[in-house]
Amino acid sequence: MKNHELIFVAFGSLGDIYPLLAVAKKMKNKHNVIFLANEYFRKHIEEAGVNYFPMGTVEEQLTALESKNSTGETNDGKINRFDNIIGKNFERVYNFLEDKVKRGTKMVVVSHGNLSPAVLGCERFNIPLVLTYYAPSQIPDNREDMILLLSFYGKNEWLLRNITLPLILFKSSLSFDIKPAYNKHREKYSLPPLQNSFARFFSKFSLKKNTAASSGLHVPLEIALLPRWFCEPIGQEFNRLKFAGFPFYENQSLESNLRADTFIAEQGKPIVFTPGTAVEDVEAFCKEMIPICRKLGSPGIFVSKHGAEAFAKLKKVDDVPLLYIEHADFAYLLPKSRCLIHHGGIGTMAQAIKAGIPQILRPRMYDQPANGVRVMMYGLGGSIAPSHYSADMVSNILNHIESNPKHRELLPYYSEQVNLEDGVENCSMHIEQYLNQEFYSHEETYGNSSLSPIQQAS
């Protein structure tokens, strides 16, 4: 079955790399798999035994870390992250795919998000693109998710559904932060620009013909790397999606596991804190760590790739034992822990559900606030806005969860649901089924056409 190439393109933080890397590792024995990611992640990919192709430099990845000067909470921060994590890689991935096409290579690309660096090359050469979504709020046009987020705090749902949300969507269509930069990349490859709603409306009456060459983006398969129950409520129009369940990447760390075991044996069940692998500005997150542990009478473990300096600055106290770990094996650590306090990333959240422990989110941006709403909705924990994040708030939430019989039922129930569903296996199966249909049910694929995609597009 190796007469084609399966190309994975992943970008963002380590939490964005792991889901597709887990699937690529699963499929590499039956397929010619190549994994494109920033040089920053080379070690992880090569340790997985997956063929690697560099996409971007370490310096670009570090420039786009979540910090005071580069944050997804501001327009400038979003543009900076787009430029460094995605924008600079459009040409690199385009050239990579173009070279494959010139060689007559049959291929399918698997990536995540509509702004993947692979989109332009796939659109230009009509290469099948399998899109994966990591969180409910990342599913395009999933308005029910936005309504859920807005209405959770007691506002009128009718008003939100019919007035507020349409205005938000209309405004976003007019002022999409990175649209000008994105359209420059599209223009470079003779692809039509993204338009706002006014431009799309008036283009219907234009006498000018759009002569831009484009064979269209071919997305034959969309996979939500989520359980269906976690995405509810979701409209029937999303029945096209395949729901695979949460994917977990096995990443054992014997050294950190040993350190954690020694600490837990001496101090007891810890509260685990993590601000996320791409967050450099961790001071605001960890300054409440000691007050929280003291109020709850628990030791604390701080897990942060970029948190060593912030942890060293903490004024340690004798009554709060603390341990710092740069990278932890959550599948091993969390079942031995009392609670997880984190940024709200979907992968971290899924690990806590799988472990069956309470979690408290401090969400800031992207999918994090919506993930927090679902954690509360399913009785799995709490969510606190950064401006209200305090030891009192955290202790009140955790004490309530631990003393409430309903929460004690829900935590193991959803843990069992997650453990029964193999997201990596299911995602691989869906891709496998598509590949069998694409390459073995018929031969009239683009790779066998009389004209190459480059000839067709020129």
Side-chain angles (χ1 to χ4, degrees):
M1 296 182 67
K2 291 192 174 185
N3 65 340
H4 61 273
E5 290 186 357
L6 192 55
I7 298 169
F8 289 81
V9 180
F11 59 97
S13 67
L14 188 57
D16 297 302
I17 304 298
Y18 273 157
L20 289 189
L21 183 56
V23 177
K25 183 178 180 181
K26 176 76 176 178
M27 302 191 74
K28 69 183 177 68
N29 292 329
K30 294 180 65 175
H31 303 274
N32 291 317
V33 170
I34 303 176
F35 203 99
L36 276 64
N38 187 278
E39 186 72 30
Y40 186 78
F41 305 110
R42 175 190 285 270
K43 175 184 175 183
H44 301 279
I45 298 160
E46 291 182 342
E47 285 180 350
V50 176
N51 293 328
Y52 169 71
F53 183 87
M55 182 185 74
T57 67
V58 172
E59 290 73 24
E60 290 165 0
Q61 185 71 28
L62 292 176
T63 301
L65 287 174
E66 293 288 353
S67 64
K68 293 177 181 178
N69 299 320
S70 177
T71 171
E73 296 169 297
T74 67
N75 288 345
D76 287 344
K78 291 176 184 176
I79 293 171
N80 177 64
R81 290 175 62 76
F82 171 80
D83 286 341
N84 286 288
I85 289 182
I86 301 176
K88 291 181 180 178
N89 293 313
F90 278 126
E91 183 174 6
R92 295 162 184 162
V93 180
Y94 185 96
N95 291 340
F96 174 88
L97 296 176
E98 181 181 43
D99 180 66
K100 294 287 183 183
V101 169
K102 286 180 177 178
R103 295 170 184 268
T105 304
K106 293 181 180 181
M107 57 187 150
V108 171
V109 174
V110 182
S111 193
H112 58 100
N114 288 334
L115 287 177
S116 165
V119 165
L120 300 188
C122 288
E123 183 174 351
R124 178 65 171 165
F125 304 124
N126 197 27
I127 300 170
L129 175 62
V130 175
L131 278 178
T132 62
Y133 307 115
Y134 293 169
S137 59
Q138 294 175 353
I139 299 172
D141 300 320
N142 184 12
R143 297 190 179 191
E144 292 298 328
D145 190 80
M146 297 179 68
I147 293 167
L148 174 67
L149 176 60
L150 292 170
S151 63
F152 191 83
Y153 298 99
K155 296 183 179 180
N156 184 288
E157 183 177 328
W158 183 92
L159 184 68
L160 290 169
R161 185 179 292 274
N162 297 286
I163 304 296
T164 306
L165 183 60
L167 286 174
I168 291 173
L169 294 173
F170 180 72
K171 181 180 177 182
S172 66
S173 73
L174 294 177
S175 59
F176 181 39
D177 300 317
I178 61 173
K179 188 181 348 181
Y182 184 53
N183 279 338
K184 285 182 180 179
H185 291 286
R186 295 183 63 82
E187 181 181 7
K188 181 177 180 179
Y189 302 113
S190 300
L191 295 170
L194 294 182
Q195 297 177 321
N196 62 38
S197 52
F198 279 136
R200 285 197 301 271
F201 177 77
F202 286 112
S203 67
K204 296 178 181 179
F205 304 97
S206 174
L207 297 178
K208 295 180 180 180
K209 298 293 184 181
N210 187 348
T211 57
S214 173
S215 54
L217 187 61
H218 177 37
V219 183
L221 178 63
E222 296 175 84
I223 305 173
L225 294 177
L226 302 154
R228 172 118 197 180
W229 60 261
F230 188 76
C231 296
E232 298 291 355
I234 189 168
Q236 292 299 311
E237 66 271 22
F238 295 103
N239 286 338
R240 71 180 191 279
L241 294 177
K242 305 294 185 182
F243 292 89
F246 294 122
F248 295 100
Y249 181 74
E250 296 180 5
N251 184 36
Q252 294 184 349
S253 175
L254 297 179
E255 181 181 353
S256 66
N257 290 349
L258 180 60
R259 291 181 62 203
D261 279 344
T262 302
F263 181 78
I264 293 171
E266 295 175 352
Q267 308 298 342
K269 275 191 171 185
I271 296 173
V272 178
F273 300 79
T274 183
T277 57
V279 179
E280 189 176 39
D281 179 22
V282 301
E283 286 82 1
F285 181 89
C286 68
K287 72 177 183 180
E288 288 293 318
M289 188 159 51
I290 289 176
I292 289 170
C293 290
R294 175 181 283 145
K295 198 164 187 68
L296 289 165
S298 290
I301 296 181
F302 182 46
V303 181
S304 173
K305 172 70 174 177
H306 306 281
E309 184 177 347
F311 184 80
K313 290 180 180 178
L314 286 176
K315 293 183 178 180
K316 310 300 190 297
V317 292
D318 293 337
D319 61 322
V320 179
L322 295 175
L323 174 68
Y324 169 74
I325 299 176
E326 181 178 302
H327 185 77
D329 177 0
F330 280 152
Y332 183 85
L333 174 61
L334 293 187
K336 302 182 177 187
S337 303
R338 180 180 177 185
C339 175
L340 175 66
I341 299 176
H342 63 104
H343 60 303
I346 192 75
T348 307
M349 182 214 69
Q351 288 281 8
I353 300 175
K354 183 180 182 181
I357 65 169
Q359 58 183 301
I360 297 174
L361 283 63
R362 182 186 179 272
R364 292 170 54 196
M365 61 201 125
Y366 307 133
D367 59 313
Q368 297 165 7
N371 294 339
V373 168
R374 280 188 159 77
V375 163
M376 292 187 288
M377 183 173 75
Y378 288 105
L380 299 167
S383 183
I384 307 172
S387 58
H388 294 93
Y389 180 69
S390 68
D392 285 340
M393 286 288 288
V394 170
S395 63
N396 288 340
I397 291 172
L398 186 56
N399 285 330
H400 169 74
I401 292 171
E402 291 179 333
S403 63
N404 188 294
K406 190 63 178 177
H407 287 289
R408 292 201 299 269
E409 292 178 11
L410 291 171
L411 286 166
Y413 172 78
Y414 285 112
S415 173
E416 183 181 15
Q417 299 306 304
V418 170
N419 279 285
L420 287 174
E421 192 170 39
D422 189 335
V424 174
E425 175 68 32
N426 291 339
C427 182
S428 302
M429 178 192 68
H430 291 309
I431 296 174
E432 195 79 53
Q433 289 174 346
Y434 167 68
L435 292 175
N436 287 335
Q437 175 186 353
E438 177 71 8
F439 292 116
Y440 303 107
S441 297
H442 56 82
E443 290 299 324
E444 59 272 16
T445 60
Y446 69 86
N448 288 332
S449 62
S450 58
L451 291 179
S452 72
I454 294 177
Q455 292 171 317
Q456 295 173 31
S458 60

